[in-house]
Amino acid sequence: MRNVSWRAKKRTREWALQQISQPMNKPARPRQDFRVRRARPLERLIEAGLQLSALMAVGITISIFWILISESIGFFQHVGFGRFLTQTRWTPLFANPSFGIAPLLCGTLLTTLVALALAGPLGFLAAVYLSEFASARAREIIKPILELLAGVPTVIYGYFALLFVTPMLQAVIPGLPGFNTLSAGLVIGVMIIPYITSLSEDAMRAVPNALRDGSLALGGTRLETALSVVAPAAASGIAGAFVLGISRAVGETMVVAIAAGQQPQLTLDPREPAATITAFIAQVALGDLPHGSIGYQSIFAAGLTLLVITLVFNLAAFWMQRRFREAY
Amino acid sequence: MAHATQPPRSLTGSARVRQRKRADSAFILWGILATALGLIVLSAVVLVLLHDGGARLNWDFLTSFPSRKPQAAGLIAALIGSLLVIITTAVIAIPLGIAAAIYLEEYAPKSALKDAVEIAVNNLAAVPSIVYGLLALGLFVYQLHLGRSIATAGLTLALLILPIIIVATREALRSTPATIREAALALGATKWQATQDHVLPAAMPGVVTGIIIGLSRAMGESAPLITIGALSFVAFLPVSLPQEPQYLQIGRYDAQQTLQNPGETVSVRVPRGGVAILPDGSERAIAPGSADLPTGSQVRTTLGLAGAAASWSPSSWLGESFSVLPIQMFNWTSRPNPAFRANAAAAGLALLAITLLLNGGAVWLRYRLRRSLRW
């Protein structure tokens, strides 16, 4: 008993000392708070579990980088960055292999450019219409439909590109081969319109009404207000939406794997067949590759390139959208 | 006078105003066209699929196995495969996603850790789906040795839709008013009690919307499953159906399939009845119950609900190889034989119907939620 009371005294003394040493303007935390917490081990356990689940996201991110780097490191040791970046042919599975990423980058760039040429203007038009002209009722109906469009599985768009869009284009462009980047790019463009429209519309709706009122009061029409006042004010948000759309187009796999052909070619002619980074990965993965072979490593090297590209675009979009949020 | 030769200012003004107003109306027309393009394309997709595969989409098609002959091929393996993969995905992604969102929204103090998790979630949401396939190939197939199985596919898609569920749940939690939390805490509830009994139920419609959208995305996703090597020709089911025929050999056989005890009679329980093929080749109907049969005969029966149910326990199908709807459609689309295109279109119709129903359900739920929201 003596021992206990000595300890209690010591604890009191320490507590008092702590109280004195606390800065005057910062009140000590009430002791009770701690006691309640300590009394409920289950609560602590639950919080730890929740925290662990949240940390999963970090874990997954790290494992993506770790797996892509560790599985492709053999590839880069074998090939070297120089050949990877400068060679103009990509034939890692041939008897006499070449490892230049340029043709795949070219195919990706091409489909993305075609997609953007369609989705950029149309997505922007639709966003301006929805944000500045459409009634609230129309918006309520149209936005869910756009969401439905974004929910269509990409393999269905691939079928549509190969067996409907390409034959239609062939009627217009004589001599168009059955596989071409034009039809794949156009269909990807349709796919990314909902993203671009929805995000650009959000950006324009965030522009304060005072700006619109100012322009209208000076005699601007609604179109002039939309194009010369609202759109510039939302420019960075709209740019962010475009960049996110581009990032989607770059990462799209099924449409290009089905409709664009699978021959890596260094061409910027959208009428030609070409392979993108994603189509190459899908094509090689369809065959049976021994673990650790150069072909197996090459899809990870291609995947790493893809990840880096999309990461750059996403960071750019994030940075742009944050800048736009800070403006008002 | 000089000014008399020019039209009055008001007139030029009104002409220009008219022109500018015309630009306004012209733009509205273009805007409506651009907005409607999505709907036009969606209708075109549905029409093309209906035209190419509508006739093929019948009960036989839905319940047949894939085949080398386009007319005989069917969807059943892909349908069951999709179902099992989605169940696995849901079981992993839903609890993890909700838990992570609750931590971020309700528990996490402003810290470097929270920032790291937020950056990771945003980053994961933007990673192309095929990269998840590469992760699965390197990690689940080759490092954890899970094989090209339903378990691997479920895990992969779970990782893919985790950010979708986290973001949707966070948004739903954030839109729950602080008064609900404060009321619960004021009555002495602990933080978890307040979250579990009050905040989470209030946020449920938003959470469910996010889950549906995530699962529908997983349903239509094929790129990551191609990477881990999902098969497109699966001529068996990882689970049994009640009507599936089962064959029993009566008697003891050795490894060479030679009958060990010919000429004896064995009493067999056939709970659902069936047909016995006797050693002499003749057939005999068996009523449900027991039957005495000579060794060397064969019994054809069905599993029945209870028998089939046992094969649905996860431990018996998680390790099986599988096919899913989008992979099956991809395979049929890329066959050179054009007769398979009708099959691809029919598979596309089935897939589109499922995903549009799921997405439509989510949209409807969100709409109802917005109307009933009266905090």
Side-chain angles (χ1 to χ4, degrees), chain B residues 84 87-88 149-151 238-239 309-320:
Chain B
L84 296 179
I87 290 174
T88 317
S149 62
I150 293 177
V239 292
S311 76
W312 283 75
S313 95
S315 57
S316 64
W317 50 257
L318 270 178
E320 295 285 340

Side-chain angles (χ1 to χ4, degrees), chain B residues 340-364:
Chain B
F340 276 109
R341 286 180 187 165
N343 290 356
L349 275 178
L351 183 60
L352 193 64
I354 296 173
T355 48
L356 284 190
L357 269 180
L358 283 175
N359 271 305
V363 167
W364 175 79

Side-chain angles (χ1 to χ4, degrees), chain A residues 2 32 58 79 116 131 146 169 207:
Chain A
R2 276 178 72 121
Q32 212 172 0
V58 182
V79 176
L116 196 64
S131 153
L146 286 179
L169 289 174
V207 172

Side-chain angles (χ1 to χ4, degrees), chain B residues 46-68:
Chain B
V46 174
L47 285 179
V48 166
L49 289 180
L50 271 178
H51 172 263
D52 292 356
R56 205 59 194 93
L57 192 65
N58 51 32
W59 184 249
D60 272 353
F61 179 71
L62 290 179
T63 55
S64 301
F65 282 102
S67 163
R68 310 250 175 249

Side-chain angles (χ1 to χ4, degrees), chain A residues 175-187:
Chain A
L176 189 74
F179 296 110
N180 59 78
T181 41
L182 183 61
S183 87
L186 287 179
V187 170

Side-chain angles (χ1 to χ4, degrees), chain A residues 68 72 75-76 84 90 101 297-306:
Chain A
L68 287 186
S72 60
F75 176 88
F76 288 114
F84 183 67
W90 176 261
I101 192 76
Q297 289 170 344
S298 73
I299 61 174
F300 283 89
L304 189 61
T305 315
L306 178 68

